[in-house]
Amino acid sequence: MTLRPVAAAALFALAAALFLAGLARALPPGEWLAALLSPQPDDVSALLVHYTVFPRAATALAAGASLALSGLVLQIALDNPLAEPSTTGVSAGAVLALAVFGSAGLGGASQSLVALGGGLAAAAVTLGLALRGGLRPATVVIAGLVLGFAASAATTLIALFNHEWMRALFLWSSGSLRQNDWSAAARLTPLLALAWIAAGCLARAFTLSSLRDEGAAALGGNPRIIRLTALALAAGLAALTTAEVGAIAFIGLAAPHFARATGARTMADRLLWTPIFGAGLLWLTDEAVKLIPLDLPTGAATGLLGAPLLMALAARLRLPSLAPVPISAPSQRLRPAWGLLLFGCIVALAAALFLDRAADGWSLAAPAQALDWRVPRTIAAFGAGAAIAVAGALLQRMTGNVMASPDMIGVSAGAALGFLVLLYAAPAAGPAAQLAAGALGAGLAALWALKGLKRGGAPEQPLLLGVGLAAAFTGVVSFLLASGDPRMALAVVWLSGSTYLVDGQRALVILAVAAGGLSAALTLARPLALLPLGPAARSSGLRIRQAQALTIALASVLTAAATLVIGPLSFVGLVAPHAARGLGCRSPLSLLAGSALVGGALLAVADWIGRVALFPYEIPAGIVAMLLGGAAALVALMKSP
């Protein structure tokens, strides 16, 4: 017997055992069948079981299979092992739609319709931008990620000023499987069946797609039609599922890797087993959540329970290294636009330091005032932005993967987790203790990411290990948010990427780290030029594993430093290297330097806008950076041929 049936059976057996144990506490076993088929109107326990317990299990199975199938189709269509349903921006669009209309007191069918409309609108925008870019996988991924980041930033901004009703939105957006009837399961099951059949009919086309565009075209396939069909199927399925159960992350990423790790190699096997693993994983997670005496959404726990499994499998998984891909639209410039980059940095710093808004309007700040109050924040913002941007450029160049960003190696999550643990264990701890706790978490995460390179794995393997760690961290944060603890108010501000608490000493430290990190990164120019070639780089005398380890270690240090000073800034590390390429920075040397300038200027401007846009209120720089960078990236994608 192969490993796939055994692993699937173990998942379902454990989930079923927990389900039956909970069912036994509600009803005697002899009454289960009657409660399922025709409960007596005067039997309250039987009615609860019929309308809540059984529908919840059925919804978990259908939703898990749907998200897993959506993730698999996206990974095939985009030829990217890190793709998942959120890649199309569907989940973020659905949550934003509910945040915008949440004050109207939505519920029931109206809430599902609004969420469905937001998810489908986000998917339509992503596909529209991808069509303008020729449906290249890189363009699809960038469009979806940028749209998702921008929508998430807008939702967070709304949440900062609407605490009274945003907790209910958080509970929904984290994926709640609580049911009052069979309607969600009745809608999801036929949709899943149709999508599964459609995916099976496209198995040959997906096989051609796995040969990349040139191979598929040589065998008579149309890569653009295949990709468009796959993206529409995956996005539509994710939008419909999100509308029913909320935004449940991680299942769409993890299930395809579970299937692959247990031996599903052919396209038919992957299409068959991936939804099965997704259904079992979500059902098991939901049953485990019921054991926790807290109203914790199931989606918040998927990372906590599923991440260790993904990390264990990723440590054994042998992924083929990705070939070099066009991770941004070709630039029309032959040389980097250094003049434009330097001018933009000067303007950004000047505005952040001297352009002020007060109760009596706009004014220019005096040099003494700027030195006392604004220099530390501006220096910290510029240094953190530059550090995280260089880390992003290192990772994207090393892997050739458009989705590689600093948060994917788990260092940012590790630093944040260390900070939160200290916040709960010792709320009165000072800055030194906070830095020490964050540094410890970041260091452990970096060691975990480096583990992925010890056994000859592909460069994407550390990213999968980091994604698993980040998913577990997200689950911890969701758990803490659901607890309603007042200490999370400070954590939310810090997690949004804020310079509120930065002093002169921290500002100088992060600037020095950014400068030193950039200098060290420039010495890796030759390895970075060869690493995207994969195993062929060995013929040039490059020690691939050592070069990869040095790259990840340097990216980890830069990410940890920026995270500890300001908070997680993942979007800057993702978008800055793409912006630098768009300005002509193609070689490793120019890409690293250009990314540092773009990232530093972006975060400095974001910090300034956060101070003046809604005066006297302030918006965290991380949120503004996501909105600014997302808008600029979407405009660039719309203008690209």
Side-chain angles (χ1 to χ4, degrees):
M1 180 180 290
T2 61
L3 183 59
R4 293 189 300 278
V6 174
L11 267 181
F12 279 90
L14 184 55
L18 294 176
F19 173 76
L20 294 177
L23 192 58
R25 291 192 293 269
L27 277 179
E31 300 178 18
W32 291 350
L33 185 59
L36 173 62
L37 300 178
S38 57
Q40 296 300 317
D42 58 345
D43 190 341
V44 176
S45 297
L47 290 173
L48 286 174
V49 168
H50 179 80
Y51 287 107
T52 62
V53 178
F54 283 117
R56 180 167 178 165
T59 303
L61 290 169
S66 298
L67 293 172
L69 181 59
S70 176
L72 174 62
V73 172
L74 280 174
Q75 291 180 12
I76 294 170
L78 301 178
D79 193 21
N80 197 316
L82 302 178
E84 60 168 333
S86 63
T87 302
T88 58
V90 166
S91 299
V95 176
L96 178 59
L98 286 179
V100 171
F101 296 101
S103 58
L106 295 173
S110 61
Q111 178 173 293
S112 297
L113 288 175
V114 169
L116 178 60
L120 290 178
V125 172
T126 299
L127 292 179
L129 293 172
L131 282 170
R132 291 183 62 86
L135 274 179
R136 291 188 295 269
T139 306
V140 178
V141 170
I142 295 170
L145 288 176
V146 166
L147 186 63
F149 271 119
S152 296
T155 301
T156 305
L157 180 60
I158 295 173
L160 289 176
F161 297 99
N162 296 276
H163 292 287
E164 64 278 5
W165 52 266
M166 287 302 291
R167 187 171 184 270
L169 173 63
F170 164 75
L171 291 175
W172 179 89
S173 66
S174 296
S176 178
L177 292 175
R178 289 181 175 273
Q179 302 297 313
N180 295 320
D181 54 33
W182 288 86
S183 59
R187 287 190 290 265
L188 280 176
T189 302
L191 291 172
L192 168 64
L194 291 174
W196 210 343
I197 293 172
C201 294
L202 293 170
R204 181 181 180 276
F206 289 159
T207 303
L208 292 178
S209 178
S210 64
L211 301 176
R212 304 189 184 277
D213 290 0
E214 297 80 2
L219 294 176
N222 188 324
R224 291 189 59 180
I225 297 298
I226 295 173
R227 190 168 297 125
L228 180 61
T229 303
L231 291 173
L233 174 64
L237 191 57
L240 292 166
T241 306
T242 301
E244 294 294 342
V245 298
I248 297 179
F250 192 72
I251 298 295
L253 172 68
H257 290 290
F258 288 167
R260 185 181 180 90
T262 54
R265 294 290 185 266
T266 67
M267 191 61 62
D269 282 345
R270 295 170 69 187
L271 289 171
L272 172 64
W273 287 99
T274 295
I276 294 175
F277 278 108
L281 180 59
L282 188 56
W283 189 26
L284 175 60
T285 303
D286 188 48
E287 294 303 324
V289 164
K290 294 179 184 179
L291 302 177
I292 302 174
L294 185 67
D295 187 18
L296 181 67
T298 302
T302 52
L304 281 174
L305 297 181
L309 292 176
L310 176 63
M311 289 188 287
L313 291 173
R316 299 169 44 208
L317 196 59
R318 296 294 179 263
L319 289 171
S321 180
L322 293 179
V325 294
I327 48 184
S328 62
S331 174
Q332 300 300 317
R333 299 181 177 87
L334 297 178
R335 296 180 180 179
W338 295 118
L340 181 60
L341 282 168
L342 292 174
F343 178 75
C345 287
I346 293 173
V347 170
L349 293 174
L353 289 173
F354 299 108
L355 193 55
D356 189 22
R357 183 185 180 187
D360 55 351
W362 293 91
S363 63
L364 290 176
Q369 184 183 10
L371 183 63
D372 290 340
W373 298 103
R374 294 189 180 87
V375 166
R377 289 183 59 164
T378 302
I379 290 178
F382 188 89
I388 208 78
V390 171
L394 286 169
L395 294 175
Q396 290 180 17
R397 187 74 195 184
M398 182 190 79
T399 63
N401 195 315
V402 296
M403 294 178 64
S405 63
D407 59 322
M408 285 192 172
I409 53 177
V411 172
S412 180
L417 186 58
F419 172 83
L420 289 179
V421 170
L422 181 66
L423 181 64
Y424 270 74
Q434 293 175 3
L435 286 173
L440 178 61
L444 294 176
L447 291 175
W448 181 255
L450 287 170
K451 179 183 178 181
L453 295 174
K454 288 184 177 180
R455 299 179 182 179
E460 292 81 17
Q461 197 169 54
L463 298 185
L464 282 175
L465 293 171
V467 166
L469 186 62
F473 164 71
T474 302
V476 172
V477 172
S478 299
F479 181 86
L480 297 177
L481 285 171
S483 69
D485 193 300
R487 286 171 291 189
M488 283 306 295
L490 175 61
V492 167
V493 173
W494 182 78
L495 289 170
S496 301
S498 172
T499 60
Y500 296 163
L501 304 178
V502 171
D503 55 21
Q505 184 177 5
R506 288 193 184 189
L508 291 177
V509 168
I510 186 57
L511 186 64
V513 170
L518 176 60
S519 300
L522 294 177
T523 64
L524 297 175
R526 181 177 178 274
L528 291 175
L530 297 175
L531 281 174
L533 301 177
R538 286 195 180 90
S539 61
S540 300
L542 180 67
R543 296 183 177 180
I544 295 179
R545 298 303 163 200
Q546 289 85 339
Q548 290 174 338
L550 287 174
T551 302
I552 292 180
L554 181 56
S556 299
V557 171
L558 292 170
T559 302
T563 302
L564 293 174
V565 172
I566 292 184
L569 300 166
S570 57
F571 182 77
V572 177
L574 175 69
V575 76
H578 293 293
R581 290 187 194 93
L583 292 171
C585 300
R586 295 286 165 168
S587 67
L589 286 174
S590 62
L591 177 63
L592 292 167
S595 297
L597 293 176
V598 171
L602 175 60
L603 204 59
V605 169
D607 183 57
W608 170 69
I609 292 177
R611 294 200 312 262
V612 303
L614 296 178
F615 179 86
Y617 304 102
E618 289 198 26
I619 308 172
I623 294 177
V624 180
M626 283 195 286
L627 290 172
L628 284 179
L634 291 175
V635 170
L637 287 170
M638 286 188 288
K639 292 183 177 181
S640 64

